[in-house]
Every structure is written in C-alpha cells, then in structure tokens.
Amino acid sequence: MIRRSVILSCLIAMTLSYGHAQEWKPAGDKILTEWATKVDPKQPHPEYPRPQLVRSNNWQNLNGLWKYAVTDKSVSQIPTNWDGNILVPYAIESALSGVGKSLNKDQALWYTTDIVLSKKLRNEKTILHFGAVDWQCEVFVNGQSVAKHEGGFNSFSVDISQALKKGNKQQIALRVWDPTSDGPQPRGKQINKPHSIWYTPVSGIWQTVWLESVPKSYIKSTHQTPQVDQSSLTFSADIEAAQAGDLLHIIAYDNGKKIAESSNTPTETQQLKLENISLWSPSNPKLYDLEVKLMRKGKVVDQAKSYFAMRKISKKTDQKGIERMYLNDEFLFHYGPLDQGWWPDGLHTAPTDEALKFDIEKTKEMGFNMIRKHIKVEPARWYRHCDSIGILVWQDMPSGDLGGNNWDMHPGKFRAGKQDKDRTPESEAIFKKEWNSIMTQLHNFPSIVVWVPFNEAWGQFKTKEIVEWTKQKDPSRLVNGASGGNYLAPGDILDLHNYPEPAMPDPARFGKDFILANGEFGGLGLPIEGHTWQAKDNWGYQSFKSVAELKKRYSELITDLTKLLQLGLSAAVYTQTTDVEIETNGLMTYDRKVIKIPTIELREINEKLYDKNLIN
C-alpha cells in the first residue's frame, strides 16, 4: 500500500506539472528563433548559472511557470488574485514569457511561486539568487520581506534561512517596478515607445532564479587577476563569517594535473606562482581550473570550483610612434560586431543556453576576434562561452537618463568646453552603484579586455571622474571612456562612430596619446522576407536589395578599414551581429535563421585585417 501511494503521488505530481506546462505557449505573432521550440516550460535555462564559483551539488533551479499580476504601483502587499502564469526567466513583454504585456510607470509587476525545497538545501544557510531583475524589486519569502534591490543588469543574493518555515513547501514572491524610459536608471536600448534604434521594454525577472545551500562560513566571491609579467595569479576572496585561524587554500590545475597551490588567511591577497603557462588569446583560448577551499583546523569548511586564464592587455607605442593595443605584448587588431544581445522571442533573454552560445560561435566563424557588448550585460554563462571559444569582449555600461547632452564627436575635430550632462544626485548614484557592481561581478572573466562606461553621450556625465574611477578600480584592463561620445578624458582609447564608412580620429593630433578606434561603422541593411520583425518600413544605415550588393559594399568597407589600420587604427566595430526589431543591418536575421553573407566568405574578407605587415 505504501509503495502504491508513493507511486500515485508521483503520478499526480507529474500530471500537474505536465498540465501547467501545457498552459504555456509563446505570446503574440512575431518571428521566433528555432530555439523557441526547445524551451522546456517545466525548467527553462536549467544550466548552473555561476561558472566562476561552482557548487554544483547543492543548488536548486527555480525557473519555470510562476504566477503573475499587474497592479497599481501603490500596492505594497502580495496580491491574493493573480492574472495568470508567466514563464521565468523571460520578461513579461517577451513572447517566451507566455504573456507579452507591456507595463507603465504607474504599475507594479508581481510574481509568486510555491516551491518544494530540496532537503539538501536545508543545511545551515539557504541563499536565494537572482541573475537579473529589471529594475527595482522587493523579495518576499513566506510573506516576509527579505530584501530590496535596484539594478536591472547585476545579480543579487539574499540569505533567506530565517524566513523559511517548517516542512519543504515555501512561497517566494516578488514585487517589481520598472519605469523604463520614464526613469533615470540604466536601461540600454529599451524605450516605452519602441522606434528606430530603440527597442521593446524588458521588465521583471530576465535571468535565472536559483537556491543554494552553504555552511555558516562560506566563500561569497573571489577576485582573480592574471599578472603575465610576474607569471602569477593575484587572488583574493570575500568570506562570510571567517574565524581566526582559518586558511584559504587555492589549487590550480591544467587538465586535472596540479600545477600550483597557495594558502593564506582569508583576508590576505595571495600570489599563485605559475610556470610554463600558455597565454590566452582568440587563437589559443587556454583556461586553467581553480579549486578554492576554506579550511578550519585541517578540515574543509567550504569549497568551490573556478577557472582562470593568463592574458595581458596593454597600450604600447609602435615603431611609428602611434599608440596601439597589444595582447600579450603583441599587436592584434580588434575587430568585431556591435552585439546588442536581443532576441525576437526572449528580448534580453536568449531562448536557451544553446542559443546564447550560437551568436558567439558564429561571430568567431565569421572571422571576428572581438565582440562589443553594446549597452547590455549578459548572463555569466555568456562570458564563460567567450572565454572558452576565444573572443575578446569590450563591455559597455548600459546607458540611461538620456537627453540634454551637448554632443560633439567628429573625425579629427573636437571642441573644448562644457559637454557633460547635469544629472541629479539620485541619477548619478544609481549609475555609479550599478557600474561598480557590474565591474565587480564580471572581473574574473578573462575575455573582457576593455570597459566602456559611456556610449554616444547618452547620459554622459562627470566623464573625467567616472573614467578615472573605472581605471583605478580595474587597472588590469583598458578603458574606452566615451565610445563615440564627447572627448573629455576618454581614458586609454579615443573612439569615434561613423556610418556607413569607417573613419578614425586624426593620428597626427591624437595618435601619441590614445589608442585610436572606430567604435561603430557599417550598418549595411538587407531585409530578408519572412525573417523581419515587421512586414515593411524596416531600416538600415544603408540598405540593399541583394546579397551580392551587400557583400560588395561590405568588402569595400573592409578595404577602407585596412588603409586606416596602416595609418594608426587599432580597433573597429561593425554594426551589427543581428537584425534587431526594425533594424535590418545585421550579419544575421533577427531570428538567426539566415546568415546574409555566407560565413566562409565573411571570414575570407575579414582575415585581411589581421595581416601584421599592415603596421610595419
């Protein structure tokens, strides 16, 4: 009888789960990617979400169908009535959420889910993690408010141990407020009324939600920086509730073979000495494994796995007296697409991890060695894929609080004077807090080689202060202070935007002070019937009617680019990886089903840019 009742209970649970899954389907009538059919509504994005600090045996993925309600902004208590189901982690405006509704500044978005907490997560501490929630939210566990957070592009965590009740059933709820373009917060390309280069809003949960069990003393985060010239890895960690006498032990491995180890107190920075190391680059994306153990009286209190790479990015003067960008003390022209990271079905969220990886793989196959991640931050797994595949990343800070700037950026011509935007103290604080958090959370990913705090004067403020602060926070990377923005202490790189032809700042005037870059050019458009966001009125900086015309013009731009490279250009960014909404200037269609210029042909064209004889 006992066995029959257990089997019956399992069958009922499976039936309920299947029934809920059957209720979900993509909303709306927009184009979808091929991965939309692979989304499992019982648990989308099931992969472990934090590749730089892995405890894979004691976590629980909470993605799936939650309940949602849209209320007046004034509502502060968890609703008792719900509007329906929403598939987490896809934003409410997206097709894959199953909802496809927009919000306004006078509304709040509520979520709730009842979970069965795994017994292995009722150890000493239970941590609730959110990959990203846009924008302002309050978290409730069993009706108790446990955390508040602001920031649409950074992860956050909360210890919910004290809010858990007896038994394995627990309730999690979330209140979200997102004014999109009616607020001062970083938002990137979102706007309340999408048009032109501005896209559909993204509100609420848009990255993985998960639970983790940790001991009372545990490793919260690590900070690791390669020091190629010293043949060492600088390592430190944030340890919760460390005790006197504790040791932090780190071990480096190469394909399972121990190659170095070090121990010190948890508060001390360690130098892990390394020998015969293979340097990371796009042509050699070599990664080493790292094991981190918190030790107490000879016993392991907590442990986690990580990884690192040895690579160096620097600014050096070439034989002609021009500043160049060097990777591992060798010149390498950085060339990649402007990558918006948008999806027709998931908006900010890729349908699956396979889809997330696809864009990076295709970019590499097309002959690019870099991606400029444009005013968006991706889930941690995206950067892990870049590390593994071998793609350099220029990481933008998402812009916000736009308007009111005196924008003056022209090839070889810069005007002095007041050009920074005046932002309120609240707006400035929001920007600084989120940029600081983003840089901290992404620090360990070796593929990131350039930070970009501002884009095209969009909300650009106190430029000199922000750029200097960015450089001080992370001296291991270069800083492109104002990509296509206002020339006000731009850091290491002077970067202009020009469409459609490539262009560069005057090397005679600026070449001895800055690395010269063309942060955006191209934008060649080709709408492909059946693969556009809308049937007509699509847009590109320069539009064509055939692949042959597009390829011819693209080849001409690359020839122009090689001439600029010889004059002193160190990097260029082509707009863009994919079509996005009404923009049809992508190398691929928005649904990723058509690569407009065949991959092999693109690679052959792009390889001209890596001829080292061009700068000799």
Side-chain angles (χ1 to χ4, degrees):
M1 289 295 292
I2 296 176
R3 292 183 64 184
R4 284 184 180 179
S5 62
V6 169
I7 293 170
L8 182 60
S9 298
C10 290
L11 287 172
I12 291 171
M14 289 172 63
T15 302
L16 289 172
S17 176
Y18 179 76
H20 285 305
Q22 287 294 94
E23 295 173 11
W24 173 85
K25 66 177 182 178
D29 58 359
K30 297 293 187 181
I31 55 173
L32 304 172
T33 67
E34 65 179 53
W35 298 282
T37 60
K38 299 179 181 180
V39 171
D40 180 0
K42 293 191 292 295
Q43 193 168 94
H45 285 280
E47 300 82 8
Y48 188 85
R50 192 183 56 196
Q52 278 283 2
L53 190 66
V54 178
R55 297 185 190 89
S56 58
N57 295 324
N58 49 354
W59 75 289
Q60 183 175 345
N61 192 314
L62 300 184
N63 293 342
L65 286 168
W66 294 33
K67 293 178 181 177
Y68 83 95
V70 177
T71 70
D72 188 85
K73 180 188 173 185
S74 63
V75 174
S76 58
Q77 300 297 315
I78 300 172
T80 55
N81 297 314
W82 299 90
D83 297 343
N85 291 332
I86 184 170
L87 188 59
V88 169
Y90 305 105
I92 187 172
E93 297 91 347
S94 73
L96 291 181
S97 71
V99 181
K101 290 182 180 179
S102 59
L103 304 175
N104 63 52
K105 63 182 176 62
D106 298 318
Q107 294 175 319
L109 169 62
W110 288 86
Y111 295 82
T112 190
T113 186
D114 294 321
I115 67 167
V116 176
L117 185 65
S118 170
K119 288 183 179 179
K120 64 183 180 182
L121 297 181
R122 294 297 293 262
N123 188 5
E124 294 179 333
K125 285 180 179 289
T126 302
I127 311 296
L128 176 61
H129 298 280
F130 291 88
V133 179
D134 197 350
W135 169 67
Q136 183 187 86
C137 69
E138 183 173 8
V139 183
F140 301 82
V141 176
N142 296 319
Q144 177 182 335
S145 177
V146 294
K148 293 181 179 180
H149 179 262
E150 288 183 349
F153 297 91
N154 55 342
S155 62
F156 66 99
S157 307
V158 56
D159 180 357
I160 64 170
S161 308
Q162 299 304 311
L164 297 177
K165 61 184 181 181
K166 291 182 179 181
N168 57 5
K169 276 194 167 186
Q170 313 290 332
Q171 182 198 59
I172 296 172
L174 198 70
R175 179 190 181 276
V176 178
W177 178 65
D178 179 23
T180 308
S181 48
D182 287 329
Q185 78 287 353
R187 57 180 170 86
K189 283 292 190 81
Q190 306 172 59
I191 196 167
N192 287 329
K193 295 181 180 179
H195 65 279
S196 183
I197 63 170
W198 305 101
Y199 316 141
T200 302
V202 172
S203 302
I205 299 169
W206 67 274
Q207 288 186 31
T208 291
V209 185
W210 56 294
L211 287 168
E212 180 183 30
S213 175
V214 295
K216 290 181 180 178
S217 300
Y218 70 99
I219 305 159
K220 290 182 70 175
S221 65
T222 66
H223 188 88
Q224 45 221 45
T225 307
Q227 307 288 350
V228 169
D229 292 342
Q230 289 77 39
S231 298
S232 67
L233 181 76
T234 299
F235 180 92
S236 61
D238 181 8
I239 306 299
E240 177 74 15
Q243 296 183 11
D246 285 355
L247 288 175
L248 197 62
H249 189 58
I250 55 175
I251 309 170
Y253 295 92
D254 182 6
N255 291 322
K257 180 183 178 182
K258 185 189 296 186
I259 58 172
E261 60 184 319
S262 174
S263 286
N264 211 325
T265 59
T267 57
E268 294 296 320
T269 297
Q270 301 188 46
Q271 296 293 332
L272 189 66
K273 291 295 181 180
L274 303 158
E275 296 181 358
N276 302 318
I277 286 297
S278 179
L279 299 182
W280 184 98
S281 70
S283 60
N284 181 49
K286 175 64 177 178
L287 302 177
Y288 294 91
D289 294 318
L290 198 64
E291 191 173 44
V292 186
K293 296 180 179 180
L294 178 63
M295 308 294 294
R296 182 173 298 154
K297 298 178 180 179
K299 294 184 179 181
V300 177
V301 177
D302 185 32
Q303 60 184 333
K305 293 180 180 179
S306 187
Y307 69 93
F308 68 97
M310 296 299 291
R311 66 101 185 94
K312 173 186 177 184
I313 188 74
S314 59
K315 180 173 74 170
K316 285 188 177 184
T317 307
D318 70 8
Q319 297 173 352
K320 298 176 183 178
I322 294 174
E323 291 295 329
R324 295 280 193 179
M325 195 154 31
Y326 284 73
L327 181 68
N328 303 328
D329 294 321
E330 293 185 2
F331 173 70
L332 177 65
F333 187 75
H334 288 210
Y335 182 50
L338 191 76
D339 194 310
Q340 312 271 10
W342 283 73
W343 301 83
D345 37 26
L347 301 180
H348 267 182
T349 311
T352 66
D353 190 68
E354 180 185 3
L356 192 71
K357 189 177 182 181
F358 176 85
D359 281 4
I360 305 166
E361 290 177 323
K362 288 303 172 186
T363 297
K364 186 76 178 283
E365 290 172 13
M366 290 173 184
F368 297 99
N369 62 13
M370 177 262 277
I371 289 171
R372 180 182 169 203
K373 179 48 64 178
H374 190 41
I375 54 176
K376 183 200 176 191
V377 177
E378 294 288 359
R381 290 186 62 85
W382 185 88
Y383 299 94
R384 167 69 203 211
H385 293 321
C386 290
D387 293 344
S388 303
I389 293 167
I391 284 282
L392 301 163
V393 176
W394 290 22
Q395 178 62 55
D396 288 12
M397 168 63 181
S399 55
D401 201 357
L402 280 59
N405 285 77
N406 180 1
W407 186 17
D408 184 26
M409 183 70 175
H410 304 285
K413 177 185 175 183
F414 300 96
R415 184 180 64 189
K418 173 68 176 175
Q419 293 172 306
D420 273 338
K421 177 183 173 67
D422 291 323
R423 292 172 67 159
T424 66
E426 177 196 19
S427 176
E428 290 185 9
I430 289 169
F431 177 98
K432 291 176 182 178
K433 182 180 180 181
E434 191 156 355
W435 185 222
N436 183 67
S437 179
I438 288 167
M439 286 191 289
T440 297
Q441 291 176 6
L442 298 183
H443 178 85
N444 291 347
F445 295 102
S447 54
I448 300 174
V449 292
V450 174
W451 297 119
V452 188
F454 295 115
N455 174 76
E456 291 191 357
W458 294 349
Q460 187 175 337
F461 74 101
K462 292 186 177 178
T463 309
K464 188 173 187 296
E465 175 187 324
I466 298 298
V467 170
E468 289 178 352
W469 167 54
T470 301
K471 287 182 64 64
Q472 289 170 4
K473 180 174 174 64
D474 187 5
S476 72
R477 292 179 169 96
L478 299 176
V479 177
N480 181 4
S483 180
N486 291 323
Y487 174 54
L488 296 163
D492 303 299
I493 300 170
L494 191 61
D495 171 356
L496 63 84
H497 297 174
N498 198 74
Y499 287 98
E501 294 84 3
M504 66 183 290
D506 182 358
R509 183 175 178 187
F510 301 106
K512 294 182 180 180
D513 298 312
F514 303 105
I515 296 165
L516 305 178
N518 183 188
E520 291 181 28
F521 80 100
L524 306 182
L526 178 64
I528 304 294
E529 187 176 352
H531 300 275
T532 57
W533 182 252
Q534 58 191 32
K536 59 180 182 177
D537 298 327
N538 292 293
W539 178 87
Y541 286 94
Q542 184 178 5
S543 294
F544 300 88
K545 295 181 179 180
S546 71
V547 171
E549 290 178 353
L550 178 69
K551 179 184 174 182
K552 181 177 181 293
R553 185 64 174 127
Y554 182 83
S555 297
E556 291 171 353
L557 296 186
I558 298 304
T559 298
D560 293 342
L561 203 55
T562 59
K563 297 173 183 177
L564 296 178
L565 197 161
Q566 291 173 297
L567 294 174
L569 193 70
S570 278
V573 178
Y574 178 81
T575 301
Q576 57 190 349
T577 306
T578 72
D579 297 346
V580 184
E581 301 202 355
I582 72 166
E583 291 185 57
T584 55
N585 47 21
L587 296 162
M588 296 184 282
T589 55
Y590 198 14
D591 58 12
R592 277 72 168 175
K593 293 178 181 178
V594 180
I595 297 175
K596 298 178 185 179
I597 301 174
T599 302
I600 295 175
E601 295 177 23
L602 263 176
R603 186 177 188 89
E604 289 174 351
I605 297 169
N606 291 339
E607 282 180 346
K608 300 173 187 175
L609 297 169
Y610 309 124
D611 183 354
K612 294 185 179 179
N613 293 322
L614 290 174
I615 68 164
N616 295 329

